[in-house]
Amino acid sequence: MTGSVSACSGSDAMAPVLEVRGLTKRYTRGLLFRQETFRLTADLTFDGSSIVGVMGPNGSGKTTLFELITGSNAPSTGSVRVMGRDIHKVKHRERDRLAIHYHQSYQVRRFRRTRPSFLMQAAGHDYPMVHLFDEPQFNTRDGYIGFMLDFFRKLRREGRLVFLCLHPNEPWHLELMEEVCEQTVFVQGGRVRTYHDFCSSLRDPDLRDYLGKLAPRDAK
Amino acid sequence: MALFEARGIHKRFGQQVVLEHVDLSFEAGRLSGIMGPNGAGKTTCFNVLTGRHRPDRGRVTLDGEDITGLSPDAIARRGIARSFQVMSLFDENTALDNLIVALPEVRARGFDMFRRLSADDAAADRASAVLARVGLAGLERRRAGDLAYGERRALEIGIALASRPRLLFLDEPTSGLGSESTARLAELVQDLKRDHSVVVIEHDMQFLFALADTISVIHWGQVIANGTPDALRENAWVRRSALGGAA
């Protein structure tokens, strides 16, 4: 099991598990007159293991954020460090040894690479430290949810950082997140906000507005 | 010591990690189940365990012998047989002939295109016994292509059994079956448990929970849970699912 994997070799044990500094990603259109169509900005630090719920409307930048954290998509500015290593300087094939993106419905976007892997660093890990679950298929009928939640807890016990991205549209989606998530990341219009307590994050007016009628009354 | 063990199996296809540090252990005389949603990596896992794919890392042992990276036929010779999710039968040949060509003694001496397979009485008797074991007695002369879907599944299990395996792997045996055929197949697998060590991959949780001694749950190419069906049912989300309701 994952607990038997040698956790870290060649990385900074004192460094935060994940440090996102001054990260921006700009999308533009037009050749002569570049016009910005979308901008994502993020500054996040997670010092240790945790289970973090990620929410936000469709098109707000959640998947782009995950792609930037796992190094498949290059940032316009800023850096992403996992256990002290700049993931965008790690060999492409080894980036998922630091942070792995479990894509929704196995949809994987491919990005152009500008630097050959042989000029880059080794990951220094053989099992990912950051696990990003992008809208996993949850279904109350089959019971897999329970096994998935236990798996997230196991990863957390083993010192890993887990992101669980969900777009709540049923009361039990929020119930599930309340059960397992300790912290919240809320992405809206390309802006990324972190709340270090999941329950208190539900008092944020913007998050409540996003949740609509699912927002718990007693969290006001 | 377990009959079959896999430790730290890692497999990647291109950029995609398909198996991540998989540990599995199957005891002799038990029915072990592997379940997981579609696309979880179950069949890839089976393919690595039975030699169709070589793992990038990790070790597979049968009775303590390292069989990692051996070819599928070398692994089969050591006593591991498997059925496939997509059936591979000789549709133009009879059920009996399909079984005769799977007998190790017939395979060892090769085939003669001018000789009818069923002319070998001893082989035909042994093949008939296996057909009876999988519930196909009386259908020996039926073309495999004319058998009902559930009977074709049983025939494929019979073909795997013909090699007298020490460990039998069944890949999604209920795939494409209706409820009646699934119930008949469950009876067959229950019967096989008496004298075989069996590993079954299934997405039909009801089927597996009713039959398996232990179950490993695979998702995202990793073992996310394992235990007895009773222990797995203790999970609160399993209890509130259809599975819990049926327990």
Side-chain angles (χ1 to χ4, degrees):
Chain A
M1 301 301 288
T2 52
S4 63
V5 180
S6 61
C8 22
S9 56
S11 55
D12 183 354
M14 298 299 286
V17 177
L18 176 67
E19 192 176 23
V20 174
R21 279 280 155 264
L23 192 75
T24 62
K25 180 70 188 180
R26 290 177 70 233
Y27 288 108
T28 57
R29 71 169 168 225
L31 285 173
L32 289 175
F33 304 101
R34 290 213 172 270
Q35 191 179 5
E36 188 173 280
T37 54
F38 181 77
R39 175 194 287 254
L40 178 82
T41 58
D43 270 282
L44 319 162
T45 302
F46 293 92
D47 290 322
S49 61
S50 184
I51 302 175
V52 183
V54 180
M55 291 181 276
N58 288 331
S60 61
K62 303 187 296 292
T63 296
T64 300
L65 177 66
F66 279 12
E67 289 166 345
L68 292 165
I69 290 175
T70 52
S72 65
N73 193 350
S76 306
T77 62
S79 66
V80 174
R81 290 181 177 275
V82 179
M83 303 300 286
R85 286 199 181 208
D86 185 336
I87 200 158
H88 295 98
K89 292 181 179 166
V90 169
K91 293 176 194 289
H92 294 286
R93 200 179 157 83
E94 295 185 25
R95 290 179 186 179
D96 61 24
R97 301 300 81 201
L98 289 173
I100 190 163
H101 186 174
Y102 303 91
H103 296 82
Q104 48 179 313
S105 310
Y106 299 87
Q107 303 242 325
V108 185
R109 289 206 296 175
R110 301 268 174 223
F111 298 95
R112 198 158 52 90
R113 293 171 179 182
T114 52
R115 240 181 127 195
S117 268
F118 71 87
L119 293 175
M120 297 186 162
Q121 301 169 0
H125 291 252
D126 60 9
Y127 187 76
M129 293 303 296
V130 182
H131 297 250
L132 302 107
F133 296 90
D134 199 347
E135 300 198 22
Q137 297 287 313
F138 288 126
N139 179 347
T140 49
R141 283 182 49 76
D142 64 18
Y144 279 116
I145 296 174
F147 306 135
M148 294 190 216
L149 298 190
D150 282 350
F151 182 60
F152 301 152
R153 293 185 184 104
K154 175 174 162 288
L155 289 171
R156 189 223 183 281
R157 281 197 305 276
E158 292 170 355
R160 267 80 193 187
L161 179 60
V162 176
F163 287 91
L164 170 59
C165 177
L166 204 58
H167 188 53
N169 48 33
E170 297 279 351
W172 63 267
H173 287 156
L174 208 55
E175 182 191 338
L176 179 154
M177 293 186 93
E178 281 183 287
E179 179 183 327
V180 77
C181 296
E182 300 153 85
Q183 305 185 59
T184 309
V185 163
F186 180 47
V187 187
Q188 192 177 39
R191 215 175 118 226
V192 180
R193 277 175 275 177
T194 313
Y195 307 82
H196 290 291
D197 177 69
F198 183 84
C199 291
S200 61
S201 73
L202 300 178
R203 290 197 285 268
D204 181 291
D206 289 340
L207 187 48
R208 293 185 66 79
D209 192 40
Y210 158 70
L211 290 172
K213 61 182 181 190
L214 294 180
R217 284 163 191 240
D218 53 3
K220 275 185 181 169
Chain B
M1 183 178 62
L3 174 64
F4 185 100
E5 279 192 309
R7 288 277 166 259
I9 300 294
H10 181 88
K11 180 71 187 169
R12 178 191 285 274
F13 291 136
Q15 293 301 309
Q16 198 74 18
V17 176
V18 288
L19 294 176
E20 182 82 89
H21 211 81
V22 169
D23 288 344
L24 290 166
S25 177
F26 308 131
E27 302 285 336
R30 312 292 291 275
L31 193 144
S32 310
I34 296 176
M35 69 180 200
N38 288 334
K42 303 186 296 292
T43 295
T44 304
C45 183
F46 237 34
N47 287 338
V48 167
L49 302 183
T50 55
R52 290 192 101 200
H53 301 314
R54 188 189 177 91
D56 300 326
R57 282 201 303 270
R59 190 163 180 260
V60 183
T61 58
L62 177 66
D63 238 348
E65 183 195 359
D66 190 342
I67 59 168
T68 319
L70 292 184
S71 63
D73 55 312
I75 287 180
R77 279 198 297 277
R78 280 163 175 77
I80 293 180
R82 68 167 289 181
S83 72
F84 291 86
Q85 191 178 345
V86 178
M87 288 185 282
S88 48
L89 301 170
F90 297 114
D91 283 346
E92 295 305 318
N93 293 80
T94 65
L96 189 68
D97 285 351
N98 268 275
L99 257 167
I100 290 173
V101 294
L103 292 170
E105 56 272 33
V106 174
R107 298 176 82 97
R109 72 165 183 255
F111 308 115
D112 179 349
M113 64 186 290
F114 297 108
R115 189 159 182 251
R116 272 197 315 120
L117 285 163
S118 52
D120 179 342
D121 288 342
D125 286 349
R126 277 190 295 276
S128 295
V130 178
L131 277 177
R133 179 76 202 270
V134 296
L136 298 178
L139 298 175
E140 290 84 354
R141 305 289 165 199
R142 182 84 52 93
R143 272 178 71 253
D146 293 336
L147 292 171
Y149 199 80
E151 292 166 344
R152 287 165 60 78
R153 281 270 167 225
L155 177 58
E156 218 200 21
I157 293 173
I159 288 169
L161 280 180
S163 63
R164 294 184 277 275
R166 294 160 72 195
L167 183 60
L168 174 64
F169 283 86
L170 304 178
D171 188 359
E172 304 236 4
T174 69
S175 174
L177 297 185
S179 55
E180 208 174 293
S181 303
T182 299
R184 271 202 296 277
L185 189 79
E187 282 175 28
L188 169 60
V189 174
Q190 183 79 42
D191 182 62
L192 291 178
K193 262 178 80 171
R194 289 189 293 116
D195 47 10
H196 286 86
S197 307
V198 186
V199 181
V200 181
I201 282 192
E202 255 308 327
H203 68 273
D204 182 338
M205 297 171 88
Q206 308 276 7
F207 179 86
L208 213 48
F209 268 66
L211 292 172
D213 296 303
T214 59
I215 295 174
S216 300
V217 183
I218 291 190
H219 199 7
W220 301 300
Q222 307 180 55
V223 178
I224 63 168
N226 58 45
T228 64
D230 283 347
L232 294 176
R233 273 199 192 99
E234 287 299 307
N235 186 295
W237 285 91
V238 175
R239 281 204 302 272
R240 67 190 267 189
S241 72
L243 191 68

